[in-house]
Amino acid sequence: MSQEWNFCKIDGRWTLKDGEEVLLSILPRQDCEDRLTPLEDGAFLWERHAFRPVSDMRMEFETKEPAEFTMIPAVSYNGNGWGDSPEYLGDRDGEVPWTFAAHRCTLPACTYSEWGNWSAALLAEGDDAVSCSQWRENGHTRHALIWPEQEGPRVLMRHYWEGPYMGKMEPRSDFHGIIYVSRGGAPKRRYRPLLDFAWRFYGHPLRPSLPARDLYRFSIAYLKSLWTAEKGGFCAFNRGLQWYPSTCYFAKRDELQYEIGWVGQNASICCALLWEYLRTGDADARDKAISVLDSWVKYARLPNGLMLIKFDKAPQSPPDALTENGEPEERADTTYMPETAMYRNGVREFHIDACNLGGAAQGFFEAEELAEKTGVRRPEYREMAMGICDFARRAQKSSGAFAKSWNREGKITREGGTVGCFLIPPMLTAYRLTGDAGYLDSARRAFAFYYQELDENGFTTAGALDTYCIDKESASPLLAAALALYNVTKESTYLEQAENIGWYLNTWMMHNTVSYSDDTVLGQIGYDTLGMTAVSTAHNAIDQYALHDVLSYLELAEATKNPQWKERAMAIWCSTTQLVSDGTLCIAGRVRPAGSQDEAVFHTRWGRKTLKPFQPSQWLVAWPCAFRMEILRRLDDWSELDQGSRVN
């Protein structure tokens, strides 16, 4: 502990000082006594003892100056407000500060603020039914831990609001919290020491629920089961299985059925099955993959380089051609719907987003190389990927940014967000395959634009396509892009920026295990939240998307020699193996097919009106399998995955 940092009493208040500089002051409670014990540099255990048992408590401190940047990890980044999805805005609702349950945050009940050259955080000490709040008041920023657990004045659910929640507790005398203070660092990312401390303080070793070899074979079986051959000749993998009450079993989704990337991950699945053929000689896997790739080329490819990225129902014919002069045909019956889809000749069409395009291009590049190794020559796969990259180069703005989405004619339908960085990795693949420096220049300019946004704002945006807000999904391709640029150019700045992106992603990672009561599904199955990651400021659920970051974290560990990146990568792997069915898994009375897994887990008081919180989503999607297979086919040795994470 630095000798300059001391708690002392000033005018009856415990005050943290650095020399003569006041950093923060604890608000006393007359019927209590406080004790502050240093844990390590910057970290203090705050113990409060009530002289008689009480049934409510507030432990509060205020910073010397009002915060210039605030964060409640995975809930609020500087008060939110980017985008248009329902979320927690500002520090209060009307005149009442927001209050959040500890489990809504990825560090338990964590409030964090920066001012001047300092940052401070208040957290729950352990797994306690406590809430947190943070707001500006009288020239200070107030941090609070609040008992009993409560949320309000409104509670965010999936695209709607509910009234406040108020829990109860038995009277007690002792309450604990942790204060963490640090000095220096770049603004809007000084939380790195806090996250490092929290990882060591709250974490514990993890083991995967199933060994890698079983996860692999169950995933292959599940992905094959999603393969669908339509009457018109179109073949694709369904986006996943839903529970249909009318039949009482899980079945392929009967609407929004097929998608090249994002939820459907058809391109990545095809690569997994081609790799399975090369590994085992499974001709069925190869044939299913080729049939799907061929179908997307035939039915989705557009003359301008774009492709249709999602089908509600199977297409019956290839896309409309352009007129002889290269202009799109006029369609008098074409009407556009906000954000999600449009109708053309009565058929629903979806906006062509950068997320799907980036995944498609990268997938078709890999598929062409894998297909060649299986003895199937398909140059059109590379042509498909190059068409996407060439369109993106033409459409790229002078700032370096790409749009969020386009229509089939290549006209922008929505701008803004970090989501355009999904196009950077395939742009670098195009550079590797062609040697054309224009692709490298495009990737550099795009990365510079999106990284600057993160640097200036403290967050990334719009990668989760069912919301338009601050999120984590948009940072994953940015991290992959930084590492790819580092590998291509050997410029150390890209590695430094990759680490910064990684630490931002870590703010979305659950650093602790939440205890659930036995009357909840998560309590009954013994679910462990440690290592899982939250989705966005609008969707306060956790999911397996961080599988997308495992290889990046392992690369960071190797390049930086910081073992925590490997610990976190292994924790992600272990936590995301939960609820993968072996064919006998039964949850809430529903037996799940082998290899299937929920898209999300409602780990906090958030969800749909038809499904209570503290349980899985019951939507068995394709993408977790696809992401898991990307890791398995790129790692030669699976033994470390089976050993798990050695946190602490």
Side-chain angles (χ1 to χ4, degrees), residues 58-311:
R58 295 178 71 92
M59 294 173 66
E60 300 176 89
F61 73 71
E62 58 186 19
T63 60
K64 175 189 175 184
E65 300 173 9
E68 298 157 2
F69 177 79
T70 63
M71 178 178 70
I72 298 173
V75 178
S76 176
Y77 291 79
N78 220 21
N80 295 336
W82 190 99
D84 55 17
S85 298
E87 61 181 356
Y88 292 106
L89 288 174
D91 63 357
R92 65 193 72 204
D93 188 30
E95 298 300 318
V96 182
W98 294 111
T99 301
F100 308 105
H103 42 71
R104 196 172 288 262
C105 318
T106 52
L107 280 67
C110 177
T111 53
Y112 167 89
S113 62
E114 296 178 1
W115 73 98
N117 199 36
W118 296 94
S119 63
L122 179 62
L123 309 90
E125 185 267 341
D127 184 34
D128 197 359
V130 61
S131 296
C132 64
S133 187
Q134 178 175 241
W135 69 99
R136 181 176 291 200
E137 184 172 306
N138 298 327
H140 307 277
T141 293
R142 185 77 60 86
H143 295 240
L145 292 175
I146 305 169
W147 289 265
E149 180 182 296
Q150 53 198 268
E151 295 199 281
R154 293 182 293 159
V155 178
L156 178 66
M157 303 297 283
R158 192 179 190 275
H159 303 310
Y160 74 99
W161 295 89
E162 286 190 351
Y165 168 81
M166 176 59 74
K168 298 179 180 179
M169 75 176 196
E170 293 295 322
R172 57 194 259 203
S173 296
D174 294 302
F175 302 85
H176 304 107
I178 290 176
I179 298 173
Y180 192 91
V181 180
S182 63
R183 173 170 49 193
K188 300 178 182 175
R189 59 169 186 266
R190 295 177 185 161
Y191 45 70
R192 176 173 175 172
L194 168 67
L195 298 179
D196 174 76
F197 163 78
W199 184 249
R200 292 179 284 105
F201 186 82
Y202 298 108
H204 61 80
L206 290 171
R207 295 293 298 273
S209 300
L210 292 167
R213 66 178 183 276
D214 288 340
L215 289 164
Y216 180 89
R217 64 190 182 93
F218 292 149
S219 294
I220 289 292
Y222 187 61
L223 295 176
K224 280 188 174 185
S225 76
L226 296 176
W227 182 81
T228 307
E230 297 282 357
K231 292 181 180 179
F234 179 77
C235 297
F237 297 98
N238 195 283
R239 295 167 82 221
L241 303 185
Q242 283 189 284
W243 182 265
Y244 288 92
S246 60
T247 57
C248 291
Y249 60 78
F250 284 105
K252 293 177 184 177
R253 185 164 180 146
D254 59 7
E255 61 177 354
L256 303 182
Q257 295 173 302
Y258 310 114
E259 189 171 24
I260 192 65
W262 203 46
V263 172
Q265 289 294 325
N266 272 216
S268 179
I269 293 170
C270 289
C271 292
L273 294 184
L274 289 173
W275 197 79
E276 164 68 357
Y277 172 80
L278 294 172
R279 183 172 181 262
T280 67
D282 182 348
D284 179 59
R286 176 200 60 198
D287 294 346
K288 280 182 166 59
I290 295 298
S291 70
V292 171
L293 291 163
D294 286 352
S295 288
W296 282 98
V297 170
K298 178 179 179 180
Y299 291 99
R301 189 178 183 181
L302 296 168
N304 57 7
L306 287 173
M307 64 177 294
L308 304 179
I309 49 87
K310 188 187 299 184
F311 292 110

Side-chain angles (χ1 to χ4, degrees), residues 466-481:
D466 49 353
T467 60
Y468 193 63
C469 63
I470 297 166
D471 69 0
K472 70 145 188 285
E473 292 181 29
S474 52
S476 291
L478 193 63
L479 173 58

